[in-house]
């Protein structure tokens, strides 16, 4: 596989392009972030923006909040630095890890925030996971759509005129977005890649007859005319302050006592990455089968761009950590009612050329220390 | 701000007016079909879809040709879009069969020529990458990526001195996608059909350096 000549991202990454020097779109965007953008000016814009919205409604802004590093930092910055009054909104995908729940509670207490969590019926979520896995090789459709459509729905229902997301899409994946432009988080972005090309209406047609459009209300992006009528503005904090995941993870550890923890398939030094979900490892394993790389590739690539590791060390980390069969896979398969053979068959059917998955080379990963606690949280104990 | 959208007798004036209103909540945009209507404007936009010589004939018949030149000389911002860009040139090749090149408004040095795009379909229609030249474009592409897709529909282009070219586009051959000379801006693409980036460009035109960098996506109050 061809890889970026600067970082380690391979050609199978979604929406990636390489320039004449073999440098990828993400690296080029990070160069724009570092060299082109006037962050002092963006900072002034942020202050002006906040001044326009502060104190005019019951809440100044919605902060969509997974409780991971990006949204926790965003919430901290908004409450502590910008002195906005946020309504914190979580779409509960159903798989929060025990450490996450503690982090979340600690953060909300320290920042004195009102918090709203919503969760779809498991019966429906299971159907959605199976359907999007079979069609797209990605079981997270309910989470992508619940987070983005749901947060906009909450802003409409609670009459909150501003939504602050974390990092813009230019930061980790590009998807055609550039740091030079202030990206709006809107239906366009939702349909471009968030919803995997499947709307709630599409999904209702694909699922068995007993699932009706009413059951998928939580995943439906609100009507443009309603958003316009309320004048809701939906932006990323990372369009106004420069983003760096490690610095942010260190800041929230210090400021909020946000605890780092182990995650399957990545080096322990990245204990701030995607810590909230039990099935991060399964998601990344799927990606590995389809695209030949996992989360370690993404993380070491960030570190290369930030000058924290060398490409040689990065390639060694990738070799050591990417592509392991996660121990959580057994629980995942039990939960959705699928056998491993079918899981691998579905994923292999979506290989992105020139990658070819070789099942014989897959090693097993060790279970996470908190995995024994998960069954109780999932309501399937005993 | 009073923004005159010049009635060229051709093309979609309504979409240009709507896009201008979306670009800045502070303005009033209206269609101007006479020199008097143009004279009261703070900004003017010359849109246009159609034939160069037909459109020039129409401007001459209403006296808008001379008043557009006066308007530009007064230092007020003027934006030409698509055919409106081409009409600002000295000369245009798009005329009725048998007749020679047709004089334009002469506000931008250069001549409008047929696109050279061997093997490619003409007119050039669709989204195409536009690469801006920061040293020339000034505020035109402020807040817009240096490489950005815009929407084009045209068979001719404005061939002008390279030091005026604020952005280039490739379609078979490289041609000027945008020109900036003093208070005169011209774009070959259609900002009113180019979604966010197009609206932002119009906002930059209307508000110039004072353009609050996010005013364009804030709702009007």
């Amino acid at each position: 596989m061809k890889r970026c000549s600067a970082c380690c991202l391979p050609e199978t990454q979604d929406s990636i392009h390489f320039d004449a020097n073999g440098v990828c779109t993400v690296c080029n965007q990070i160069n724009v972030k570092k060299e082109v953008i006037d962050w002092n000016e963006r900072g002034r814009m942020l202050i002006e923006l906040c001044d326009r919205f502060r104190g005019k409604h019951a809440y100044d802004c919605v902060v969509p909040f997974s409780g991971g590093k990006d949204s926790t930092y965003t919430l901290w910055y908004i409450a502590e630095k910008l002195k906005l009054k946020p309504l914190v909104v979580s779409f509960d995908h159903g798989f929060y890890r025990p450490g996450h729940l503690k982090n979340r509670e600690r953060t909300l207490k320290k920042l004195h925030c009102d918090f709203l969590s919503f969760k779809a019926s498991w019966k429906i979520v299971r159907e959605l996971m199976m359907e999007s896995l079979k069609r797209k090789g990605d079981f997270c459709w309910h989470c992508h759509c619940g987070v983005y459509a749901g947060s906009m729905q909450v802003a409409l229902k609670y009459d909150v005129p501003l939504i602050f997301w974390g990092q813009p899409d230019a930061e980790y994946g590009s998807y055609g977005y550039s740091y030079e432009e202030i990206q709006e988080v809107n239906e366009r972005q939702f349909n471009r890649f968030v919803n995997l090309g499947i709307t709630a209406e599409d999904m209702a047609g694909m699922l068995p007859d007993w699932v009706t459009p009413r059951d998928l209300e939580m995943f439906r992006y609100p009507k443009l005319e309603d958003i316009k009528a309320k004048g809701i503005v939906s932006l990323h904090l990372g369009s106004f302050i420069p983003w760096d995941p490690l610095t942010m993870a260190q800041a929230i550890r210090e400021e909020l006592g946000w605890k780092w923890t182990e995650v399957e398939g990545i080096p322990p030094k990245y204990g701030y990455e995607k810590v909230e979900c039990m099935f991060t490892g399964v998601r990344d394993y799927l990606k590995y089968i389809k695209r030949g790389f996992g989360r370690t590739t993404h993380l070491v690539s960030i570190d290369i761009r930030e000058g924290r590791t060398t490409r040689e060390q990065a390639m060694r980390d990738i070799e050591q950590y990417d592509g392991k069969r996660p121990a959580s896979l057994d629980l995942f398969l039990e939960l959705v009612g699928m056998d491993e053979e079918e899981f691998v068959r579905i994923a292999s059917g979506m290989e992105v050329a020139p990658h070819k998955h070789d099942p014989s080379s897959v090693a097993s990963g060790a279970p996470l220390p908190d995995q024994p606690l998960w069954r109780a949280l999932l309501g399937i104990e005993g | 701000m009073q923004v005159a959208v010049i009635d060229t007798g051709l093309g979609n004036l309504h979409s240009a007016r709507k896009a201008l209103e979306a670009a800045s909540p502070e303005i009033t945009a209206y269609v101007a079909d006479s020199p008097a209507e143009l004279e009261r404007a703070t900004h003017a936009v010359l849109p246009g879809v159609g034939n160069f010589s037909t459109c020039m004939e129409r401007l001459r018949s209403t006296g808008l040709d001379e008043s557009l030149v006066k308007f530009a000389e007064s230092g007020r911002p003027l934006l030409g879009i698509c055919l409106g860009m081409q009409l600002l040139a000295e000369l245009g090749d798009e005329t009725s069969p048998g007749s020679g090149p047709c004089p334009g408004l002469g506000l931008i040095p250069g001549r409008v020529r047929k696109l050279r795009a061997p093997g490619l379909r003409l007119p050039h229609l669709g989204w195409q990458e536009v690469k801006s030249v920061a040293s020339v474009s000034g505020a035109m592409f402020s807040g817009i990526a240096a490489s950005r897709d815009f929407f084009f529909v045209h068979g001719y282009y404005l061939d002008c001195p390279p030091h005026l070219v604020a952005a280039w586009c490739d379609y078979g051959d490289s041609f000027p996608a945008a020109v900036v000379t003093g208070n005169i801006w011209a774009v070959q693409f259609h900002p009113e059909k180019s979604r966010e980036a197009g609206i932002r460009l119009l906002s930059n035109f209307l508000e110039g350096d004072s353009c609050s960098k996010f005013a364009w996506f804030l709702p009007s109050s």
Side-chain angles (χ1 to χ4, degrees):
Chain A
M1 280 199 304
K2 179 183 173 183
R3 287 179 191 269
C4 170
S5 59
C7 73
C8 297
L9 288 182
E11 60 189 307
T12 52
Q13 154 108 351
D14 206 5
S15 84
I16 202 167
H17 292 285
F18 300 99
D19 69 13
N21 300 317
V23 178
C24 76
T25 15
V26 183
C27 282
N28 279 326
Q29 272 309 307
I30 299 305
N31 286 337
V32 169
K33 175 177 84 169
K34 290 180 176 172
E35 288 161 22
V36 178
I37 306 303
D38 178 350
W39 290 104
N40 290 325
E41 187 204 11
R42 293 279 177 102
R44 287 192 293 275
M45 288 167 64
L46 178 62
I47 288 165
E48 196 187 325
L49 186 72
C50 293
D51 288 346
R52 289 196 190 205
F53 286 96
R54 197 180 286 104
K56 300 204 171 136
H57 291 72
Y59 297 98
D60 296 326
C61 64
V62 160
V63 176
F65 182 77
S66 71
K69 65 175 186 317
D70 296 304
S71 60
T72 301
Y73 183 85
T74 302
L75 179 60
W76 170 77
Y77 195 92
I78 278 168
E80 286 292 300
K81 294 275 189 187
L82 299 175
K83 304 290 180 199
L84 293 175
K85 183 192 171 194
L87 173 59
V88 183
V89 175
S90 276
F91 173 79
D92 182 344
H93 48 54
F95 311 121
Y96 287 144
R97 286 173 64 186
H100 158 79
L101 295 171
K102 289 181 192 162
N103 272 340
R104 186 175 83 180
E105 198 54 32
R106 203 182 304 108
T107 299
L108 293 168
K109 285 234 163 57
K110 287 206 171 179
L111 296 175
H112 314 292
C113 293
D114 288 359
F115 174 63
L116 197 61
S117 177
F118 54 108
K119 186 177 188 175
S121 135
W122 166 243
K123 196 177 171 192
I124 297 290
V125 167
R126 188 191 159 278
E127 292 294 328
L128 295 173
M129 288 171 70
M130 290 289 272
E131 195 66 25
S132 76
L133 176 60
K134 285 176 187 167
R135 287 185 183 268
K136 294 287 173 179
D138 180 342
F139 57 84
C140 304
W141 184 91
H142 75 291
C143 186
H144 305 318
C145 294
V147 168
Y148 282 88
S151 299
M152 186 56 87
Q153 287 185 15
V154 168
L156 275 169
K157 283 181 183 141
Y158 283 80
D159 201 14
V160 187
L162 180 63
I163 307 179
F164 258 126
W165 301 84
Q167 76 288 353
D169 288 308
E171 178 66 24
Y172 296 144
S174 275
Y175 288 99
Y177 287 106
S178 161
Y179 259 113
E180 294 156 288
E181 297 180 16
I182 292 174
Q183 182 193 343
E184 287 181 85
V185 184
N186 54 18
E187 191 171 14
R188 199 161 186 224
Q189 176 231 26
F190 188 74
N191 288 337
R192 186 181 284 189
F193 63 93
V194 170
N195 71 3
L196 311 174
I198 302 174
T199 65
E201 291 81 356
D202 297 333
M203 197 52 110
M206 293 166 180
L207 293 178
D209 285 346
W210 62 267
V211 183
T212 69
R214 290 175 72 203
D215 297 318
L216 303 181
E217 180 58 21
M218 216 172 258
F219 309 99
R220 184 183 56 77
Y221 208 85
K223 290 196 182 92
L224 182 61
E225 64 210 67
D226 294 342
I227 297 168
K228 277 198 163 168
K230 289 262 183 193
I232 294 174
V233 173
S234 177
L235 302 168
H236 296 103
L237 179 63
S239 291
F240 302 98
I241 61 169
W243 216 252
D244 172 29
L246 174 61
T247 313
M248 293 175 166
Q250 286 165 338
I252 54 176
R253 182 164 64 183
E254 202 160 295
E255 298 287 339
L256 300 169
W258 190 87
K259 288 201 169 55
W260 297 21
T261 186
E262 278 177 69
V263 174
E264 288 176 300
I266 62 175
K269 64 178 171 179
Y270 297 116
Y272 52 81
E273 169 72 15
K274 204 72 190 157
V275 293
E276 69 275 9
C277 182
M278 294 172 188
F279 297 123
T280 296
V282 178
R283 175 171 174 75
D284 294 341
Y285 182 50
L286 260 178
K287 175 163 161 176
Y288 185 83
I289 297 173
K290 291 187 297 183
R291 299 179 186 271
F293 73 104
R295 192 167 293 271
T296 302
T297 302
H298 161 69
L299 291 166
V300 295
S301 293
I302 293 173
D303 274 357
I304 290 173
R305 293 177 206 125
E306 297 301 326
R308 292 194 283 255
T309 190
T310 61
R311 201 165 185 280
E312 292 67 36
Q313 180 56 45
M315 290 305 291
R316 281 197 292 275
D317 284 343
I318 290 171
E319 184 66 28
Q320 190 180 345
Y321 289 96
D322 259 0
K324 293 228 166 53
R325 180 197 181 278
S328 60
L329 183 60
D330 295 318
L331 179 60
F332 175 86
L333 295 170
E334 177 192 335
L335 212 54
V336 298
M338 182 182 268
D339 61 41
E340 187 163 353
E341 200 182 324
E342 190 185 1
F343 178 88
V344 174
R345 186 182 52 76
I346 290 170
S348 306
M350 301 196 186
E351 276 168 359
V352 177
H355 168 66
K356 273 269 168 221
H357 181 59
D358 173 14
S360 67
S361 70
V362 173
S364 288
L368 293 169
D370 58 324
Q371 193 178 322
L373 306 171
W374 295 0
R375 299 184 76 85
L377 290 174
L378 291 166
I380 53 170
E381 204 174 21
Chain B
M1 259 182 275
Q2 298 287 317
V3 185
V5 179
I6 307 299
D7 183 0
T8 52
L10 301 160
N12 196 345
L13 305 173
H14 182 64
S15 68
R17 195 171 55 81
K18 248 179 103 174
L20 286 160
E21 283 172 351
S24 176
E26 313 298 324
I27 66 148
T28 308
Y30 64 95
V31 174
D33 57 7
S34 69
E37 286 286 289
L38 172 59
E39 196 37 55
R40 68 183 176 93
T42 55
H43 294 66
V45 175
L46 181 59
V49 176
N51 177 285
F52 187 99
S53 60
T54 312
C55 202
M56 269 314 293
E57 182 50 44
R58 160 96 186 180
L59 290 177
R60 272 195 290 271
S61 71
T62 53
L64 276 165
D65 57 341
E66 281 177 19
S67 52
L68 271 166
V69 173
K70 274 192 208 129
F71 184 91
E73 284 170 356
S74 74
R76 284 172 284 177
L78 170 64
L79 170 65
I81 296 173
C82 194
L83 177 61
M85 171 195 202
Q86 299 173 4
L87 294 171
L88 302 177
E90 292 166 314
L91 216 54
D93 284 353
E94 190 188 11
T95 54
S96 46
S99 45
C102 169
L105 295 171
L107 290 166
I108 298 174
R111 177 167 179 163
V112 177
R113 303 178 192 278
K114 204 169 172 84
L115 274 173
R116 294 161 301 191
L120 294 174
R121 190 175 294 187
L122 285 178
H124 170 213
L125 189 154
W127 293 87
Q128 200 71 247
E129 187 182 20
V130 167
K131 289 182 176 165
S132 56
V133 183
S135 57
V136 181
S137 60
M140 184 186 261
F141 290 94
S142 170
I144 298 173
S147 163
R148 183 59 147 110
D149 284 5
F150 284 88
F151 191 82
F152 288 85
V153 193
H154 65 124
Y156 288 76
Y157 73 102
L158 171 54
D159 184 11
C160 70
H163 71 273
L164 302 179
V165 177
W168 294 93
C169 179
D170 276 321
Y171 188 70
D173 201 356
S174 190
F175 67 86
V179 165
V180 170
T181 168
N183 57 317
I184 300 170
W185 287 15
V187 291
Q188 184 57 64
F189 49 83
H190 287 271
E192 78 281 13
K193 296 187 200 320
S194 298
R195 306 198 60 146
E196 291 96 335
I199 299 293
R200 178 61 203 257
L201 189 143
L202 294 176
S203 179
N204 291 338
F205 170 69
L206 295 169
E207 304 188 19
D209 287 341
S210 70
C211 172
S212 164
K213 303 293 182 200
F214 48 79
W216 61 283
F217 59 65
L218 287 181
S220 49
S221 46

